[in-house]
Amino acid sequence: MSITHSAGSTIVRTKPVRVVALGPHALDLLLSLGIQPVGYGEASTYIKTPAFGSPIRDIRVLGSRVTSNPVNVGDRFNPSLEILASLKPDLIVGEDYAAQVYPQLSRLAPTLLFKGIDRNDWQKTLPLLAKAVDREVTYAQVLKSYTANVQSTRSVLAPRFKNQTVLVVWTSGGESKYTFNVSKRSDWTGGLLSDLGLNVIDGEKADAVLSIEGLVALNPDVVLVLAAGNSTPTRARADWNSTALTSRLQATQKGQVYFLDYHLFRRIRGPIAAQLIERQLIKEMAPN
C-alpha cells in the first residue's frame, strides 16, 4: 500500500514487525497502536545510554510502556545508518525534522515522517500509521478513548477556570530563568489545553519570548510554567519565587502558577501524552 506523509509517498508492502521509532512523538503513536519498537532515536539530552547500539532502558515518561528494550540508534533527526541497518527494520517512523536524511533512511526500510508540532497533527497522521501497520481497529479505539478523556477532563477544568486567561510558557532555567517562550493555541500543547476548556492566550506576537516584565504586562489569571532543558519543575518554582516581580502577577497572588515538565507537555505530543497530561492537570489544578 502507498502511504502519503510529509516527506513523500512510501510503499509499505508487508505488515511491519521490526519498527524503529525516531523520537518520542513517533514512540507515542506506535505504543498507542500496540507496536513495540526494535530501535529508538532521541536527542542526547534525554538519553543516558552511553553508546549507540545499546538497549535503552531510560526512556522518559513512556519508558514504563516499552517492553522491547529498543536499541539506541542515535539522534532522532540524524540516526546512525549502520546501526539501523543492523536492526533490519521493515518500517522507520519519525518526524519531518528528519527529512534531510529521508533518502538514506528510505534505502534501509520504508520510512514515514509525520508532522507532529501543531494542533491536531497526530489525529491526521495516526490513521495513516495505523493503516501501514494494520492496526486500524486499534486506532478507532484510541480515538474513542482520547475523545472521552478530553470531554471528561474538560468537564472538570472548564468550570474551574471559566473566564480566566491561561498563559503557557517554558523556560530552560539557569541564565535563561527569566526568559519565557509562549506556547500558542495553534501548537499541540496550547491546542490540547484549549480543547480541555482553558482560555489559552498567545501573547502579543507569534513565537513570542517574554521577560518577567512581559509576563506582568499580560497579567494572566493562570500560568503554566514548563521546565525545559536541565531545569525541573522544582527548580522552575524556585526561580519563579526568587524575584519579587512575579509576585505582581494575579496568577501568583491567586496561587494559580503551576510548574510542569516540558518533556511531557511539549515533546511527546500523542494520545498517550495527552492522557498523562490530563491526569496531571486534574491533580494539580483541580484537586479534590
Side-chain angles (χ1 to χ4, degrees), residues 120-137:
N120 297 329
D121 270 347
W122 74 259
Q123 288 94 325
K124 301 173 186 176
T125 59
L126 190 59
L128 300 176
L129 180 58
K131 181 179 179 182
V133 297
D134 194 22
R135 297 292 177 97
E136 291 176 282
V137 172

Side-chain angles (χ1 to χ4, degrees), residues 1 39 49 81 113 146 173 187 195 213 266-267 276 282 284:
M1 72 185 74
T49 302
L81 299 178
L113 301 182
Y146 170 80
D187 66 30
D195 290 343
E213 290 80 3
R266 283 192 64 85
R267 294 193 75 245
L276 295 175
I282 290 177
E284 298 285 341

Side-chain angles (χ1 to χ4, degrees), residues 86-107:
S86 71
L87 292 176
K88 299 180 180 180
D90 43 32
L91 183 66
I92 299 171
V93 181
E95 290 187 70
D96 56 346
Y97 293 114
Q100 63 180 350
V101 293
Y102 174 69
Q104 296 94 313
L105 297 175
S106 295
R107 285 195 286 271

Side-chain angles (χ1 to χ4, degrees), residues 28 55 92 102 168 261 267 281:
D28 187 314
I92 299 171
Y102 174 69
V168 184
D261 179 17
R267 294 193 75 245
L281 290 178

